[in-house]
Short mmCIF file of all heavy atoms in Angstrom, two decimals:
data_model
loop_
_atom_site.label_atom_id
_atom_site.label_comp_id
_atom_site.label_asym_id
_atom_site.label_seq_id
_atom_site.Cartn_x
_atom_site.Cartn_y
_atom_site.Cartn_z
N THR S 100 125.43 131.93 105.43
CA THR S 100 124.41 131.16 106.14
C THR S 100 125.01 130.46 107.35
O THR S 100 124.38 130.39 108.42
CB THR S 100 123.79 130.13 105.20
OG1 THR S 100 123.24 130.80 104.05
CG2 THR S 100 122.68 129.36 105.89
N GLU S 101 126.22 129.95 107.21
CA GLU S 101 126.88 129.30 108.34
C GLU S 101 127.08 130.27 109.49
O GLU S 101 126.82 129.94 110.66
CB GLU S 101 128.22 128.72 107.89
CG GLU S 101 129.00 128.04 109.00
CD GLU S 101 130.34 127.50 108.52
OE1 GLU S 101 130.55 127.43 107.29
OE2 GLU S 101 131.17 127.15 109.37
N LEU S 102 127.54 131.48 109.18
CA LEU S 102 127.73 132.49 110.22
C LEU S 102 126.41 132.87 110.89
O LEU S 102 126.34 133.03 112.11
CB LEU S 102 128.40 133.73 109.62
CG LEU S 102 129.84 133.55 109.12
CD1 LEU S 102 130.33 134.81 108.43
CD2 LEU S 102 130.78 133.17 110.28
N ASP S 103 125.36 133.00 110.08
CA ASP S 103 124.04 133.33 110.65
C ASP S 103 123.55 132.23 111.58
O ASP S 103 122.98 132.52 112.64
CB ASP S 103 123.04 133.55 109.52
CG ASP S 103 123.30 134.84 108.75
OD1 ASP S 103 124.01 135.72 109.27
OD2 ASP S 103 122.80 134.96 107.62
N ILE S 104 123.76 130.99 111.18
CA ILE S 104 123.30 129.86 112.01
C ILE S 104 124.07 129.82 113.33
O ILE S 104 123.49 129.64 114.40
CB ILE S 104 123.44 128.54 111.24
CG1 ILE S 104 122.41 128.48 110.11
CG2 ILE S 104 123.28 127.34 112.17
CD1 ILE S 104 122.56 127.28 109.21
N ILE S 105 125.38 130.00 113.25
CA ILE S 105 126.18 129.98 114.47
C ILE S 105 125.77 131.12 115.40
O ILE S 105 125.63 130.93 116.62
CB ILE S 105 127.68 130.08 114.12
CG1 ILE S 105 128.12 128.79 113.40
CG2 ILE S 105 128.51 130.32 115.37
CD1 ILE S 105 129.55 128.84 112.90
N GLN S 106 125.55 132.30 114.83
CA GLN S 106 125.09 133.42 115.66
C GLN S 106 123.73 133.12 116.28
O GLN S 106 123.49 133.40 117.46
CB GLN S 106 125.01 134.69 114.81
CG GLN S 106 124.55 135.91 115.59
CD GLN S 106 124.33 137.13 114.71
OE1 GLN S 106 124.18 137.00 113.48
NE2 GLN S 106 124.31 138.30 115.29
N ASN S 107 122.84 132.55 115.47
CA ASN S 107 121.51 132.21 115.97
C ASN S 107 121.58 131.21 117.12
O ASN S 107 120.88 131.35 118.14
CB ASN S 107 120.69 131.64 114.82
CG ASN S 107 119.22 131.47 115.16
OD1 ASN S 107 118.56 130.57 114.67
ND2 ASN S 107 118.67 132.32 116.00
N VAL S 108 122.44 130.21 116.99
CA VAL S 108 122.60 129.20 118.03
C VAL S 108 123.17 129.82 119.30
O VAL S 108 122.69 129.56 120.42
CB VAL S 108 123.50 128.06 117.53
CG1 VAL S 108 123.93 127.16 118.68
CG2 VAL S 108 122.78 127.23 116.47
N GLU S 109 124.19 130.64 119.16
CA GLU S 109 124.80 131.26 120.33
C GLU S 109 123.81 132.18 121.04
O GLU S 109 123.72 132.20 122.28
CB GLU S 109 126.05 132.04 119.92
CG GLU S 109 127.20 131.17 119.43
CD GLU S 109 127.69 130.21 120.50
OE1 GLU S 109 127.76 130.60 121.68
OE2 GLU S 109 128.01 129.05 120.16
N GLN S 110 123.07 132.97 120.28
CA GLN S 110 122.08 133.85 120.89
C GLN S 110 121.00 133.06 121.62
O GLN S 110 120.57 133.44 122.72
CB GLN S 110 121.45 134.74 119.81
CG GLN S 110 122.38 135.81 119.29
CD GLN S 110 121.75 136.62 118.16
OE1 GLN S 110 120.78 136.17 117.53
NE2 GLN S 110 122.29 137.78 117.88
N ALA S 111 120.57 131.94 121.03
CA ALA S 111 119.55 131.12 121.67
C ALA S 111 120.06 130.53 122.98
O ALA S 111 119.34 130.49 123.98
CB ALA S 111 119.11 130.00 120.72
N GLN S 112 121.31 130.08 122.99
CA GLN S 112 121.87 129.53 124.22
C GLN S 112 122.02 130.60 125.30
O GLN S 112 121.72 130.35 126.48
CB GLN S 112 123.23 128.89 123.93
CG GLN S 112 123.16 127.66 123.05
CD GLN S 112 124.52 127.05 122.81
OE1 GLN S 112 125.01 126.23 123.57
NE2 GLN S 112 125.16 127.46 121.72
N ILE S 113 122.46 131.77 124.91
CA ILE S 113 122.58 132.86 125.88
C ILE S 113 121.22 133.22 126.46
O ILE S 113 121.08 133.47 127.66
CB ILE S 113 123.24 134.09 125.20
CG1 ILE S 113 124.70 133.78 124.87
CG2 ILE S 113 123.16 135.31 126.11
CD1 ILE S 113 125.38 134.85 124.03
N THR S 114 120.21 133.22 125.62
CA THR S 114 118.86 133.54 126.10
C THR S 114 118.35 132.48 127.07
O THR S 114 117.69 132.81 128.06
CB THR S 114 117.89 133.65 124.89
OG1 THR S 114 118.39 134.63 123.98
CG2 THR S 114 116.51 134.09 125.36
N VAL S 115 118.65 131.21 126.80
CA VAL S 115 118.25 130.14 127.73
C VAL S 115 118.92 130.34 129.08
O VAL S 115 118.27 130.25 130.14
CB VAL S 115 118.62 128.76 127.13
CG1 VAL S 115 118.47 127.67 128.19
CG2 VAL S 115 117.74 128.45 125.95
N VAL S 116 120.22 130.60 129.08
CA VAL S 116 120.95 130.81 130.35
C VAL S 116 120.41 132.03 131.07
O VAL S 116 120.20 132.01 132.30
CB VAL S 116 122.45 130.93 130.07
CG1 VAL S 116 123.20 131.28 131.35
CG2 VAL S 116 123.00 129.63 129.49
N ASP S 117 120.17 133.10 130.33
CA ASP S 117 119.65 134.32 130.94
C ASP S 117 118.29 134.08 131.60
O ASP S 117 118.06 134.49 132.75
CB ASP S 117 119.53 135.42 129.88
CG ASP S 117 118.82 136.65 130.39
OD1 ASP S 117 119.41 137.41 131.18
OD2 ASP S 117 117.64 136.85 130.01
N ALA S 118 117.39 133.41 130.89
CA ALA S 118 116.06 133.14 131.45
C ALA S 118 116.15 132.23 132.66
O ALA S 118 115.42 132.40 133.64
CB ALA S 118 115.16 132.53 130.38
N SER S 119 117.07 131.25 132.61
CA SER S 119 117.25 130.35 133.75
C SER S 119 117.70 131.12 134.99
O SER S 119 117.20 130.91 136.10
CB SER S 119 118.27 129.27 133.39
OG SER S 119 118.54 128.44 134.50
N GLU S 120 118.64 132.01 134.81
CA GLU S 120 119.13 132.81 135.94
C GLU S 120 118.04 133.74 136.46
O GLU S 120 117.92 133.96 137.67
CB GLU S 120 120.36 133.59 135.52
CG GLU S 120 121.57 132.70 135.22
CD GLU S 120 122.74 133.48 134.66
OE1 GLU S 120 122.54 134.67 134.31
OE2 GLU S 120 123.86 132.91 134.56
N ARG S 121 117.24 134.28 135.55
CA ARG S 121 116.16 135.17 135.99
C ARG S 121 115.09 134.42 136.78
O ARG S 121 114.47 134.98 137.69
CB ARG S 121 115.54 135.88 134.78
CG ARG S 121 116.41 136.99 134.22
CD ARG S 121 115.67 137.88 133.26
NE ARG S 121 115.34 137.23 132.01
CZ ARG S 121 114.13 137.00 131.58
NH1 ARG S 121 113.08 137.35 132.33
NH2 ARG S 121 113.91 136.42 130.42
N ILE S 122 114.86 133.15 136.42
CA ILE S 122 113.88 132.36 137.17
C ILE S 122 114.33 132.20 138.61
O ILE S 122 113.55 132.39 139.56
CB ILE S 122 113.68 130.99 136.50
CG1 ILE S 122 112.92 131.13 135.18
CG2 ILE S 122 112.92 130.04 137.42
CD1 ILE S 122 112.83 129.85 134.38
N GLN S 123 115.59 131.84 138.80
CA GLN S 123 116.09 131.64 140.15
C GLN S 123 116.06 132.93 140.96
O GLN S 123 115.67 132.92 142.14
CB GLN S 123 117.52 131.08 140.08
CG GLN S 123 117.60 129.74 139.34
CD GLN S 123 119.03 129.27 139.15
OE1 GLN S 123 119.89 129.49 139.99
NE2 GLN S 123 119.29 128.62 138.02
N ALA S 124 116.45 134.03 140.32
CA ALA S 124 116.40 135.31 141.04
C ALA S 124 114.97 135.71 141.35
O ALA S 124 114.67 136.24 142.44
CB ALA S 124 117.08 136.39 140.21
N ALA S 125 114.05 135.46 140.40
CA ALA S 125 112.65 135.84 140.61
C ALA S 125 112.01 135.01 141.72
O ALA S 125 111.19 135.52 142.50
CB ALA S 125 111.86 135.67 139.31
N GLN S 126 112.35 133.74 141.80
CA GLN S 126 111.79 132.90 142.86
C GLN S 126 112.24 133.39 144.24
O GLN S 126 111.45 133.41 145.19
CB GLN S 126 112.21 131.45 142.64
CG GLN S 126 111.53 130.80 141.45
CD GLN S 126 112.05 129.40 141.15
OE1 GLN S 126 113.13 129.01 141.62
NE2 GLN S 126 111.30 128.65 140.36
N THR S 127 113.48 133.82 144.35
CA THR S 127 113.95 134.40 145.60
C THR S 127 113.21 135.69 145.92
O THR S 127 112.83 135.95 147.07
CB THR S 127 115.46 134.66 145.53
OG1 THR S 127 116.15 133.43 145.23
CG2 THR S 127 115.99 135.23 146.83
N ALA S 128 112.99 136.50 144.87
CA ALA S 128 112.28 137.77 145.07
C ALA S 128 110.84 137.54 145.50
O ALA S 128 110.31 138.29 146.33
CB ALA S 128 112.33 138.60 143.79
N VAL S 129 110.20 136.51 144.95
CA VAL S 129 108.82 136.20 145.33
C VAL S 129 108.74 135.82 146.81
O VAL S 129 107.85 136.27 147.55
CB VAL S 129 108.25 135.09 144.44
CG1 VAL S 129 106.94 134.55 145.01
CG2 VAL S 129 108.02 135.59 143.02
N ALA S 130 109.68 134.97 147.24
CA ALA S 130 109.68 134.56 148.66
C ALA S 130 109.86 135.76 149.57
O ALA S 130 109.17 135.89 150.60
CB ALA S 130 110.78 133.52 148.89
N SER S 131 110.78 136.66 149.22
CA SER S 131 111.00 137.85 150.04
C SER S 131 109.78 138.76 150.02
O SER S 131 109.39 139.33 151.07
CB SER S 131 112.23 138.60 149.53
OG SER S 131 113.39 137.80 149.62
N ALA S 132 109.17 138.93 148.84
CA ALA S 132 108.00 139.81 148.73
C ALA S 132 106.81 139.26 149.51
O ALA S 132 106.04 140.02 150.11
CB ALA S 132 107.64 140.00 147.25
N GLN S 133 106.65 137.94 149.49
CA GLN S 133 105.56 137.34 150.27
C GLN S 133 105.74 137.58 151.76
O GLN S 133 104.79 137.92 152.48
CB GLN S 133 105.50 135.84 149.98
CG GLN S 133 104.94 135.49 148.62
CD GLN S 133 105.02 134.01 148.31
OE1 GLN S 133 105.84 133.28 148.88
NE2 GLN S 133 104.18 133.56 147.39
N GLU S 134 106.97 137.45 152.27
CA GLU S 134 107.23 137.69 153.68
C GLU S 134 107.03 139.17 154.02
O GLU S 134 106.45 139.51 155.07
CB GLU S 134 108.65 137.25 154.01
CG GLU S 134 109.07 137.48 155.45
CD GLU S 134 108.24 136.69 156.44
OE1 GLU S 134 107.55 135.72 156.02
OE2 GLU S 134 108.27 137.01 157.64
N ASN S 135 107.50 140.05 153.13
CA ASN S 135 107.34 141.48 153.37
C ASN S 135 105.86 141.87 153.40
O ASN S 135 105.43 142.67 154.24
CB ASN S 135 108.08 142.27 152.29
CG ASN S 135 108.02 143.76 152.51
OD1 ASN S 135 108.22 144.25 153.63
ND2 ASN S 135 107.73 144.50 151.44
N PHE S 136 105.06 141.28 152.47
CA PHE S 136 103.63 141.59 152.47
C PHE S 136 102.95 141.05 153.72
O PHE S 136 102.07 141.70 154.29
CB PHE S 136 102.98 140.99 151.22
CG PHE S 136 101.49 141.15 151.20
CD1 PHE S 136 100.91 142.38 150.94
CD2 PHE S 136 100.66 140.07 151.48
CE1 PHE S 136 99.54 142.54 150.92
CE2 PHE S 136 99.27 140.22 151.47
CZ PHE S 136 98.72 141.46 151.20
N ARG S 137 103.36 139.86 154.17
CA ARG S 137 102.77 139.30 155.38
C ARG S 137 103.02 140.21 156.59
O ARG S 137 102.11 140.47 157.39
CB ARG S 137 103.34 137.91 155.64
CG ARG S 137 102.69 137.16 156.79
CD ARG S 137 103.41 135.87 157.07
NE ARG S 137 104.76 136.10 157.56
CZ ARG S 137 105.06 136.40 158.83
NH1 ARG S 137 104.09 136.53 159.73
NH2 ARG S 137 106.31 136.60 159.19
N LEU S 138 104.24 140.72 156.69
CA LEU S 138 104.56 141.62 157.80
C LEU S 138 103.80 142.94 157.69
O LEU S 138 103.28 143.46 158.69
CB LEU S 138 106.07 141.87 157.84
CG LEU S 138 106.95 140.64 158.14
CD1 LEU S 138 108.42 141.00 158.00
CD2 LEU S 138 106.64 140.09 159.52
N ALA S 139 103.74 143.48 156.47
CA ALA S 139 103.02 144.75 156.28
C ALA S 139 101.53 144.57 156.57
O ALA S 139 100.89 145.46 157.15
CB ALA S 139 103.23 145.25 154.85
N GLN S 140 100.98 143.43 156.15
CA GLN S 140 99.56 143.15 156.42
C GLN S 140 99.31 143.07 157.92
O GLN S 140 98.32 143.61 158.45
CB GLN S 140 99.17 141.84 155.75
CG GLN S 140 97.70 141.48 155.92
CD GLN S 140 96.79 142.30 155.03
OE1 GLN S 140 96.91 142.23 153.82
NE2 GLN S 140 95.91 143.09 155.63
N GLY S 141 100.21 142.41 158.66
CA GLY S 141 100.05 142.31 160.10
C GLY S 141 100.14 143.66 160.80
O GLY S 141 99.36 143.96 161.72
N ARG S 142 101.09 144.48 160.36
CA ARG S 142 101.21 145.81 160.98
C ARG S 142 99.99 146.67 160.70
O ARG S 142 99.52 147.41 161.57
CB ARG S 142 102.48 146.50 160.48
CG ARG S 142 103.77 145.92 161.07
CD ARG S 142 104.97 146.82 160.80
NE ARG S 142 105.21 146.97 159.38
CZ ARG S 142 106.00 146.17 158.67
NH1 ARG S 142 106.60 145.14 159.27
NH2 ARG S 142 106.20 146.37 157.39
N PHE S 143 99.50 146.56 159.45
CA PHE S 143 98.32 147.37 159.12
C PHE S 143 97.10 146.92 159.91
O PHE S 143 96.33 147.74 160.44
CB PHE S 143 98.04 147.29 157.63
CG PHE S 143 96.89 148.14 157.18
CD1 PHE S 143 97.02 149.50 157.01
CD2 PHE S 143 95.64 147.55 156.91
CE1 PHE S 143 95.95 150.28 156.59
CE2 PHE S 143 94.58 148.33 156.50
CZ PHE S 143 94.73 149.70 156.34
N ASP S 144 96.92 145.59 160.00
CA ASP S 144 95.77 145.08 160.74
C ASP S 144 95.88 145.42 162.23
O ASP S 144 94.86 145.60 162.90
CB ASP S 144 95.65 143.56 160.56
CG ASP S 144 95.28 143.18 159.14
OD1 ASP S 144 94.76 144.05 158.41
OD2 ASP S 144 95.52 142.01 158.75
N ALA S 145 97.11 145.54 162.73
CA ALA S 145 97.31 145.89 164.14
C ALA S 145 97.20 147.39 164.39
O ALA S 145 97.23 147.83 165.55
CB ALA S 145 98.66 145.38 164.62
N GLY S 146 97.09 148.15 163.30
CA GLY S 146 96.94 149.59 163.44
C GLY S 146 98.23 150.34 163.58
O GLY S 146 98.22 151.55 163.87
#
């Protein structure tokens, strides 16, 4: 049980760090995608 608990704790911490890093990367990706869509929208509207 002790080994299971330690494994469970370590896995939970790794998952927290992983999700935190993915949030930061995703926020950067959203900003880039918004700018790319704005440019594509302008080019399309301009023909």
Side-chain angles (χ1 to χ4, degrees):
T100 303
E101 179 181 347
L102 294 175
D103 290 342
I104 289 175
I105 293 175
Q106 180 186 19
N107 190 212
V108 168
E109 293 298 321
Q110 288 176 341
Q112 293 181 88
I113 292 172
T114 304
V115 168
V116 174
D117 172 74
S119 176
E120 293 174 348
R121 285 194 290 117
I122 289 173
Q123 300 174 35
Q126 289 174 344
T127 303
V129 168
S131 299
Q133 287 174 337
E134 178 63 17
N135 183 45
F136 175 74
R137 186 186 66 81
L138 295 174
Q140 183 75 62
R142 286 193 298 270
F143 182 78
D144 292 341

